[in-house]
Amino acid sequence: MLGSEEKRQLVRIANLYYLEGWTQGKIAKKLGVSRPFICRLLQKARDSGIVDVYIRDESRHAAELEQFIKDTYSLTDVVVVSTHGLNPEMSRKAVGQAGAYYLSKHFGDIRQLGISWGRTLWEVVKEYPFEQRKGINVVPLVGGIGTQHVELHANQLAHELAKKMNGTSSYLYAPAIVETEELKDYLLEAPEIQMVLEEGKHVDTALISIGNPYMGSTLRDLGYLQAHDLDGFRSLGIIGDIASRFFDKSGNPVDHPLNDRTIGLPLAYLKQIKQVIAVVEGVHKAESLAAALRGSYIDVLILDEPTASALMK
């Protein structure tokens, strides 16, 4: 078990080497130690999980998929992750690792980072390295409390990611979807909830995933959606959701009664955020993802190769 001082030293050295581009010799000179000593510390950082090396697949097929999706949907960047031979759990882990690597390497001057919820984003948070991000605050974009699968909720994801960045997090003390409109109106009167919702509108970057309400849905697993809801969804043409906000095949928001009970960032505000990074895994989400791309909610997309191939088709 690493002590707090030893962990801080490893994080500092890892940041200089992997993120700032310093050589081992330069780090050794700055700290007054030998280069082999720095080499051993970097290995220790990898062994202890502080550093997780991600190798991007530069195969021709992946490159073609990335360029096609980037051009078709006018995206800033696309990363396609090779998941050949992996089971669904390992595939999600690989995509989460790629998402964590991308965010860490392209962090820029982010001061307010918004995060949605779900299994794929939980993998991103788990794979994110320990860093020193001074002044960063992580904001949940959707209600973040519940009694089932607590690790998937936005509050928990914001908290865990902030810890890894040595930053702070806000907390949205409300479920994603409440029981009645009256309860939602009551909760929205609370100043602390108003404040976090307002923060969500003005984050520098949003980290999201895409949901398919009909298959593999976190909303269904947590009991927010029932079988009878899906019949109504189909009649309205709902094909996917982002942060519990539903949209049709063109990416347009759909007016559904659940919206009147949802506490979180509306899709219209998501479009106003400077950079939205979507991390998506699973072919069953391909149609939902295509609709979200048509709706222009995404700037950077990180996804598995089978889903990228489905988009291309």
Side-chain angles (χ1 to χ4, degrees), residues 90-108:
M90 293 304 297
S91 176
R92 192 181 303 120
K93 178 182 175 66
V95 173
Q97 188 178 46
Y101 178 85
Y102 188 94
L103 178 60
S104 177
K105 295 295 287 185
H106 299 81
F107 208 87

Side-chain angles (χ1 to χ4, degrees), residues 157-173:
L157 294 179
H159 173 72
E160 294 296 335
L161 187 55
K163 279 201 306 183
K164 289 202 165 182
M165 294 177 173
N166 197 32
T168 59
S169 60
S170 301
Y171 298 95
L172 195 50
Y173 293 111

Side-chain angles (χ1 to χ4, degrees), residues 172-183:
L172 195 50
Y173 293 111
I177 301 175
V178 297
E179 295 176 354
T180 64
E181 291 182 48
E182 291 75 18
L183 178 56

Side-chain angles (χ1 to χ4, degrees), residues 54 79 81 93-105 124 127-128 207 277 279 302:
Y54 162 67
V79 176
V81 182
K93 178 182 175 66
V95 173
Q97 188 178 46
Y101 178 85
Y102 188 94
L103 178 60
S104 177
K105 295 295 287 185
V124 174
E127 297 295 329
Y128 199 88
L207 185 63
I277 301 174
V279 186
I302 299 157

Side-chain angles (χ1 to χ4, degrees), residues 10 19 23 50 56 68 98 104 126 158 174 196 200 220 248 256 260 269 274-275 284 294:
L10 293 178
L19 299 181
T23 64
I50 289 174
R56 181 168 175 174
F68 171 82
S104 177
K126 285 196 294 184
V196 178
R220 290 189 68 185
D248 62 19
H256 186 276
D260 300 325
Y269 286 103
K274 182 178 179 181
Q275 177 180 241
H284 65 285
R294 293 185 199 106

Side-chain angles (χ1 to χ4, degrees), residues 3 11 27 41 46 53 92 95 97 114 116 123-124 128 136 158 189 196-197 199 206 214 264 283 291-292 299:
V11 169
I27 299 171
L41 289 182
R46 290 193 291 269
V53 177
R92 192 181 303 120
V95 173
Q97 188 178 46
S116 180
E123 293 296 337
V124 174
Y128 199 88
I136 183 67
E189 291 178 0
V196 178
L197 289 174
E199 285 179 344
Y214 308 105
V283 174
D299 301 299

